[in-house]
PDB file of all heavy atoms in Angstrom:
ATOM      1  N   GLU A   1      74.464  86.823 129.202  1.00 92.00           N
ATOM      2  CA  GLU A   1      73.166  86.400 128.694  1.00 92.00           C
ATOM      3  C   GLU A   1      72.218  86.245 129.874  1.00 92.00           C
ATOM      4  O   GLU A   1      72.456  85.433 130.772  1.00 92.00           O
ATOM      5  CB  GLU A   1      73.259  85.086 127.927  1.00 92.00           C
ATOM      6  CG  GLU A   1      71.912  84.658 127.352  1.00 92.00           C
ATOM      7  CD  GLU A   1      72.001  83.437 126.463  1.00 92.00           C
ATOM      8  OE1 GLU A   1      73.010  83.294 125.748  1.00 92.00           O
ATOM      9  OE2 GLU A   1      71.049  82.634 126.479  1.00 92.00           O
ATOM     10  N   LEU A   2      71.150  87.023 129.878  1.00 90.00           N
ATOM     11  CA  LEU A   2      70.175  86.984 130.958  1.00 90.00           C
ATOM     12  C   LEU A   2      69.032  86.049 130.589  1.00 90.00           C
ATOM     13  O   LEU A   2      68.682  85.915 129.416  1.00 90.00           O
ATOM     14  CB  LEU A   2      69.617  88.389 131.227  1.00 90.00           C
ATOM     15  CG  LEU A   2      70.625  89.530 131.391  1.00 90.00           C
ATOM     16  CD1 LEU A   2      69.904  90.833 131.672  1.00 90.00           C
ATOM     17  CD2 LEU A   2      71.617  89.227 132.492  1.00 90.00           C
ATOM     18  N   VAL A   3      68.453  85.409 131.599  1.00 85.00           N
ATOM     19  CA  VAL A   3      67.279  84.567 131.371  1.00 85.00           C
ATOM     20  C   VAL A   3      66.120  85.130 132.184  1.00 85.00           C
ATOM     21  O   VAL A   3      66.316  85.770 133.217  1.00 85.00           O
ATOM     22  CB  VAL A   3      67.538  83.099 131.771  1.00 85.00           C
ATOM     23  CG1 VAL A   3      68.654  82.510 130.949  1.00 85.00           C
ATOM     24  CG2 VAL A   3      67.852  82.978 133.262  1.00 85.00           C
ATOM     25  N   ARG A   4      64.955  84.899 131.707  1.00 80.00           N
ATOM     26  CA  ARG A   4      63.757  85.415 132.364  1.00 80.00           C
ATOM     27  C   ARG A   4      63.558  84.732 133.708  1.00 80.00           C
ATOM     28  O   ARG A   4      63.620  83.508 133.811  1.00 80.00           O
ATOM     29  CB  ARG A   4      62.539  85.193 131.474  1.00 80.00           C
ATOM     30  CG  ARG A   4      61.255  85.803 132.006  1.00 80.00           C
ATOM     31  CD  ARG A   4      60.144  85.635 131.000  1.00 80.00           C
ATOM     32  NE  ARG A   4      58.876  86.100 131.526  1.00 80.00           N
ATOM     33  CZ  ARG A   4      57.736  86.095 130.844  1.00 80.00           C
ATOM     34  NH1 ARG A   4      57.737  85.638 129.602  1.00 80.00           N
ATOM     35  NH2 ARG A   4      56.619  86.537 131.381  1.00 80.00           N
ATOM     36  N   ALA A   5      63.326  85.530 134.748  1.00 75.00           N
ATOM     37  CA  ALA A   5      63.097  84.980 136.088  1.00 75.00           C
ATOM     38  C   ALA A   5      61.759  84.258 136.116  1.00 75.00           C
ATOM     39  O   ALA A   5      60.826  84.622 135.395  1.00 75.00           O
ATOM     40  CB  ALA A   5      63.123  86.091 137.130  1.00 75.00           C
ATOM     41  N   GLY A   6      61.684  83.247 136.974  1.00 60.00           N
ATOM     42  CA  GLY A   6      60.484  82.419 137.016  1.00 60.00           C
ATOM     43  C   GLY A   6      59.225  83.185 137.334  1.00 60.00           C
ATOM     44  O   GLY A   6      58.138  82.815 136.915  1.00 60.00           O
ATOM     45  N   ASN A   7      59.336  84.271 138.095  1.00 50.00           N
ATOM     46  CA  ASN A   7      58.155  85.027 138.495  1.00 50.00           C
ATOM     47  C   ASN A   7      58.086  86.391 137.803  1.00 50.00           C
ATOM     48  O   ASN A   7      57.358  87.270 138.215  1.00 50.00           O
ATOM     49  CB  ASN A   7      58.178  85.248 140.000  1.00 50.00           C
ATOM     50  CG  ASN A   7      59.419  86.007 140.415  1.00 50.00           C
ATOM     51  OD1 ASN A   7      60.514  85.644 140.030  1.00 50.00           O
ATOM     52  ND2 ASN A   7      59.264  87.063 141.194  1.00 50.00           N
ATOM     53  N   SER A   8      58.875  86.581 136.745  1.00 54.00           N
ATOM     54  CA  SER A   8      58.954  87.902 136.130  1.00 54.00           C
ATOM     55  C   SER A   8      57.631  88.306 135.489  1.00 54.00           C
ATOM     56  O   SER A   8      56.862  87.461 135.025  1.00 54.00           O
ATOM     57  CB  SER A   8      60.059  87.937 135.070  1.00 54.00           C
ATOM     58  OG  SER A   8      59.798  87.017 134.050  1.00 54.00           O
ATOM     59  N   PHE A   9      57.373  89.621 135.479  1.00 53.00           N
ATOM     60  CA  PHE A   9      56.151  90.205 134.954  1.00 53.00           C
ATOM     61  C   PHE A   9      54.928  89.668 135.689  1.00 53.00           C
ATOM     62  O   PHE A   9      53.823  89.677 135.177  1.00 53.00           O
ATOM     63  CB  PHE A   9      56.017  89.947 133.442  1.00 53.00           C
ATOM     64  CG  PHE A   9      57.173  90.474 132.661  1.00 53.00           C
ATOM     65  CD1 PHE A   9      58.229  89.640 132.311  1.00 53.00           C
ATOM     66  CD2 PHE A   9      57.230  91.801 132.296  1.00 53.00           C
ATOM     67  CE1 PHE A   9      59.324  90.135 131.602  1.00 53.00           C
ATOM     68  CE2 PHE A   9      58.314  92.300 131.585  1.00 53.00           C
ATOM     69  CZ  PHE A   9      59.360  91.467 131.240  1.00 53.00           C
ATOM     70  N   GLY A  10      55.161  89.223 136.934  1.00 49.00           N
ATOM     71  CA  GLY A  10      54.063  88.753 137.768  1.00 49.00           C
ATOM     72  C   GLY A  10      54.173  89.372 139.146  1.00 49.00           C
ATOM     73  O   GLY A  10      54.370  90.562 139.281  1.00 49.00           O
ATOM     74  N   THR A  11      54.076  88.549 140.185  1.00 46.00           N
ATOM     75  CA  THR A  11      54.156  89.050 141.555  1.00 46.00           C
ATOM     76  C   THR A  11      55.534  89.621 141.827  1.00 46.00           C
ATOM     77  O   THR A  11      56.546  89.026 141.479  1.00 46.00           O
ATOM     78  CB  THR A  11      53.879  87.897 142.550  1.00 46.00           C
ATOM     79  OG1 THR A  11      52.610  87.330 142.235  1.00 46.00           O
ATOM     80  CG2 THR A  11      53.866  88.409 143.970  1.00 46.00           C
ATOM     81  N   ALA A  12      55.582  90.768 142.469  1.00 46.00           N
ATOM     82  CA  ALA A  12      56.858  91.433 142.727  1.00 46.00           C
ATOM     83  C   ALA A  12      57.747  90.598 143.616  1.00 46.00           C
ATOM     84  O   ALA A  12      57.292  89.938 144.536  1.00 46.00           O
ATOM     85  CB  ALA A  12      56.616  92.793 143.371  1.00 46.00           C
ATOM     86  N   ALA A  13      59.036  90.608 143.314  1.00 49.00           N
ATOM     87  CA  ALA A  13      60.015  89.884 144.123  1.00 49.00           C
ATOM     88  C   ALA A  13      61.129  90.831 144.496  1.00 49.00           C
ATOM     89  O   ALA A  13      61.548  91.652 143.700  1.00 49.00           O
ATOM     90  CB  ALA A  13      60.579  88.697 143.337  1.00 49.00           C
ATOM     91  N   SER A  14      61.610  90.721 145.717  1.00 57.00           N
ATOM     92  CA  SER A  14      62.727  91.560 146.137  1.00 57.00           C
ATOM     93  C   SER A  14      63.950  90.717 146.461  1.00 57.00           C
ATOM     94  O   SER A  14      65.060  91.229 146.484  1.00 57.00           O
ATOM     95  CB  SER A  14      62.333  92.416 147.345  1.00 57.00           C
ATOM     96  OG  SER A  14      61.840  91.610 148.394  1.00 57.00           O
ATOM     97  N   ALA A  15      63.773  89.442 146.759  1.00 71.00           N
ATOM     98  CA  ALA A  15      64.899  88.555 147.032  1.00 71.00           C
ATOM     99  C   ALA A  15      65.341  87.878 145.740  1.00 71.00           C
ATOM    100  O   ALA A  15      64.546  87.691 144.817  1.00 71.00           O
ATOM    101  CB  ALA A  15      64.517  87.509 148.069  1.00 71.00           C
ATOM    102  N   GLU A  16      66.606  87.512 145.676  1.00 80.00           N
ATOM    103  CA  GLU A  16      67.139  86.804 144.523  1.00 80.00           C
ATOM    104  C   GLU A  16      67.339  85.343 144.875  1.00 80.00           C
ATOM    105  O   GLU A  16      67.667  85.000 146.009  1.00 80.00           O
ATOM    106  CB  GLU A  16      68.457  87.418 144.078  1.00 80.00           C
ATOM    107  CG  GLU A  16      68.307  88.837 143.543  1.00 80.00           C
ATOM    108  CD  GLU A  16      69.610  89.357 142.979  1.00 80.00           C
ATOM    109  OE1 GLU A  16      70.396  88.551 142.446  1.00 80.00           O
ATOM    110  OE2 GLU A  16      69.839  90.565 143.077  1.00 80.00           O
ATOM    111  N   LEU A  17      67.179  84.486 143.880  1.00 88.00           N
ATOM    112  CA  LEU A  17      67.294  83.052 144.120  1.00 88.00           C
ATOM    113  C   LEU A  17      68.705  82.675 144.549  1.00 88.00           C
ATOM    114  O   LEU A  17      68.901  81.948 145.529  1.00 88.00           O
ATOM    115  CB  LEU A  17      66.892  82.280 142.864  1.00 88.00           C
ATOM    116  CG  LEU A  17      67.021  80.755 142.945  1.00 88.00           C
ATOM    117  CD1 LEU A  17      66.078  80.193 144.002  1.00 88.00           C
ATOM    118  CD2 LEU A  17      66.748  80.123 141.586  1.00 88.00           C
ATOM    119  N   GLU A  18      69.701  83.175 143.812  1.00 86.00           N
ATOM    120  CA  GLU A  18      71.088  82.815 144.088  1.00 86.00           C
ATOM    121  C   GLU A  18      71.736  83.808 145.049  1.00 86.00           C
ATOM    122  O   GLU A  18      71.313  84.951 145.176  1.00 86.00           O
ATOM    123  CB  GLU A  18      71.872  82.732 142.787  1.00 86.00           C
ATOM    124  CG  GLU A  18      71.356  81.647 141.854  1.00 86.00           C
ATOM    125  CD  GLU A  18      72.005  81.691 140.484  1.00 86.00           C
ATOM    126  OE1 GLU A  18      71.903  82.735 139.818  1.00 86.00           O
ATOM    127  OE2 GLU A  18      72.598  80.677 140.087  1.00 86.00           O
ATOM    128  N   ASN A  19      72.778  83.321 145.729  1.00 81.00           N
ATOM    129  CA  ASN A  19      73.527  84.149 146.675  1.00 81.00           C
ATOM    130  C   ASN A  19      72.657  84.682 147.803  1.00 81.00           C
ATOM    131  O   ASN A  19      72.887  85.777 148.314  1.00 81.00           O
ATOM    132  CB  ASN A  19      74.221  85.315 145.972  1.00 81.00           C
ATOM    133  CG  ASN A  19      75.472  84.883 145.255  1.00 81.00           C
ATOM    134  OD1 ASN A  19      76.212  84.030 145.747  1.00 81.00           O
ATOM    135  ND2 ASN A  19      75.709  85.432 144.089  1.00 81.00           N
ATOM    136  N   THR A  20      71.643  83.944 148.168  1.00 85.00           N
ATOM    137  CA  THR A  20      70.774  84.303 149.292  1.00 85.00           C
ATOM    138  C   THR A  20      70.692  83.112 150.242  1.00 85.00           C
ATOM    139  O   THR A  20      70.632  81.971 149.808  1.00 85.00           O
ATOM    140  CB  THR A  20      69.368  84.687 148.800  1.00 85.00           C
ATOM    141  OG1 THR A  20      69.457  85.838 147.969  1.00 85.00           O
ATOM    142  CG2 THR A  20      68.438  84.996 149.958  1.00 85.00           C
ATOM    143  N   TYR A  21      70.717  83.404 151.526  1.00 86.00           N
ATOM    144  CA  TYR A  21      70.563  82.380 152.559  1.00 86.00           C
ATOM    145  C   TYR A  21      69.067  82.108 152.699  1.00 86.00           C
ATOM    146  O   TYR A  21      68.313  82.952 153.190  1.00 86.00           O
ATOM    147  CB  TYR A  21      71.158  82.900 153.858  1.00 86.00           C
ATOM    148  CG  TYR A  21      71.117  81.975 155.056  1.00 86.00           C
ATOM    149  CD1 TYR A  21      72.288  81.388 155.538  1.00 86.00           C
ATOM    150  CD2 TYR A  21      69.938  81.734 155.750  1.00 86.00           C
ATOM    151  CE1 TYR A  21      72.272  80.578 156.667  1.00 86.00           C
ATOM    152  CE2 TYR A  21      69.908  80.918 156.869  1.00 86.00           C
ATOM    153  CZ  TYR A  21      71.081  80.344 157.324  1.00 86.00           C
ATOM    154  OH  TYR A  21      71.058  79.541 158.448  1.00 86.00           O
ATOM    155  N   TRP A  22      68.619  80.919 152.260  1.00 92.00           N
ATOM    156  CA  TRP A  22      67.201  80.574 152.302  1.00 92.00           C
ATOM    157  C   TRP A  22      66.913  79.679 153.508  1.00 92.00           C
ATOM    158  O   TRP A  22      67.334  78.522 153.550  1.00 92.00           O
ATOM    159  CB  TRP A  22      66.779  79.874 151.013  1.00 92.00           C
ATOM    160  CG  TRP A  22      66.741  80.771 149.824  1.00 92.00           C
ATOM    161  CD1 TRP A  22      67.605  80.796 148.772  1.00 92.00           C
ATOM    162  CD2 TRP A  22      65.782  81.809 149.576  1.00 92.00           C
ATOM    163  NE1 TRP A  22      67.244  81.777 147.875  1.00 92.00           N
ATOM    164  CE2 TRP A  22      66.131  82.414 148.345  1.00 92.00           C
ATOM    165  CE3 TRP A  22      64.659  82.281 150.270  1.00 92.00           C
ATOM    166  CZ2 TRP A  22      65.388  83.463 147.808  1.00 92.00           C
ATOM    167  CZ3 TRP A  22      63.927  83.328 149.728  1.00 92.00           C
ATOM    168  CH2 TRP A  22      64.290  83.905 148.517  1.00 92.00           C
ATOM    169  N   LYS A  23      66.197  80.215 154.471  1.00 91.00           N
ATOM    170  CA  LYS A  23      65.837  79.480 155.677  1.00 91.00           C
ATOM    171  C   LYS A  23      64.545  78.697 155.445  1.00 91.00           C
ATOM    172  O   LYS A  23      63.544  79.249 154.990  1.00 91.00           O
ATOM    173  CB  LYS A  23      65.650  80.439 156.844  1.00 91.00           C
ATOM    174  CG  LYS A  23      65.186  79.764 158.132  1.00 91.00           C
ATOM    175  CD  LYS A  23      64.941  80.792 159.227  1.00 91.00           C
ATOM    176  CE  LYS A  23      64.400  80.121 160.485  1.00 91.00           C
ATOM    177  NZ  LYS A  23      64.135  81.116 161.555  1.00 91.00           N
ATOM    178  N   LEU A  24      64.566  77.414 155.763  1.00 93.00           N
ATOM    179  CA  LEU A  24      63.391  76.565 155.588  1.00 93.00           C
ATOM    180  C   LEU A  24      62.314  76.948 156.604  1.00 93.00           C
ATOM    181  O   LEU A  24      62.561  76.960 157.809  1.00 93.00           O
ATOM    182  CB  LEU A  24      63.776  75.094 155.769  1.00 93.00           C
ATOM    183  CG  LEU A  24      62.646  74.069 155.619  1.00 93.00           C
ATOM    184  CD1 LEU A  24      62.084  74.078 154.197  1.00 93.00           C
ATOM    185  CD2 LEU A  24      63.151  72.669 155.997  1.00 93.00           C
ATOM    186  N   MET A  25      61.103  77.254 156.096  1.00 93.00           N
ATOM    187  CA  MET A  25      59.996  77.660 156.967  1.00 93.00           C
ATOM    188  C   MET A  25      58.919  76.580 157.084  1.00 93.00           C
ATOM    189  O   MET A  25      58.292  76.430 158.132  1.00 93.00           O
ATOM    190  CB  MET A  25      59.368  78.953 156.440  1.00 93.00           C
ATOM    191  CG  MET A  25      60.349  80.111 156.303  1.00 93.00           C
ATOM    192  SD  MET A  25      61.186  80.536 157.865  1.00 93.00           S
ATOM    193  CE  MET A  25      59.795  81.094 158.846  1.00 93.00           C
ATOM    194  N   SER A  26      58.709  75.851 155.987  1.00 93.00           N
ATOM    195  CA  SER A  26      57.700  74.796 156.041  1.00 93.00           C
ATOM    196  C   SER A  26      57.995  73.733 155.003  1.00 93.00           C
ATOM    197  O   SER A  26      58.579  74.011 153.949  1.00 93.00           O
ATOM    198  CB  SER A  26      56.291  75.371 155.807  1.00 93.00           C
ATOM    199  OG  SER A  26      56.181  75.928 154.511  1.00 93.00           O
ATOM    200  N   LEU A  27      57.590  72.523 155.306  1.00 93.00           N
ATOM    201  CA  LEU A  27      57.671  71.387 154.401  1.00 93.00           C
ATOM    202  C   LEU A  27      56.248  70.989 154.073  1.00 93.00           C
ATOM    203  O   LEU A  27      55.530  70.479 154.927  1.00 93.00           O
ATOM    204  CB  LEU A  27      58.425  70.220 155.050  1.00 93.00           C
ATOM    205  CG  LEU A  27      59.932  70.440 155.232  1.00 93.00           C
ATOM    206  CD1 LEU A  27      60.498  69.456 156.244  1.00 93.00           C
ATOM    207  CD2 LEU A  27      60.648  70.312 153.890  1.00 93.00           C
ATOM    208  N   GLY A  28      55.813  71.285 152.836  1.00 89.00           N
ATOM    209  CA  GLY A  28      54.398  71.126 152.531  1.00 89.00           C
ATOM    210  C   GLY A  28      53.608  72.111 153.381  1.00 89.00           C
ATOM    211  O   GLY A  28      53.835  73.310 153.327  1.00 89.00           O
ATOM    212  N   GLU A  29      52.714  71.599 154.216  1.00 87.00           N
ATOM    213  CA  GLU A  29      51.936  72.454 155.116  1.00 87.00           C
ATOM    214  C   GLU A  29      52.425  72.358 156.555  1.00 87.00           C
ATOM    215  O   GLU A  29      51.812  72.925 157.462  1.00 87.00           O
ATOM    216  CB  GLU A  29      50.455  72.064 155.037  1.00 87.00           C
ATOM    217  CG  GLU A  29      49.842  72.284 153.655  1.00 87.00           C
ATOM    218  CD  GLU A  29      48.375  71.962 153.620  1.00 87.00           C
ATOM    219  OE1 GLU A  29      47.847  71.496 154.659  1.00 87.00           O
ATOM    220  OE2 GLU A  29      47.743  72.167 152.562  1.00 87.00           O
TER     221      GLU A  29
END
């Protein structure tokens, strides 16, 4: 069962939320 991605049918995304190493770049500004 698939669920709609949070940004689907909007801005293009190439990375996936899960199984990706997410490096913190900023906290707020």
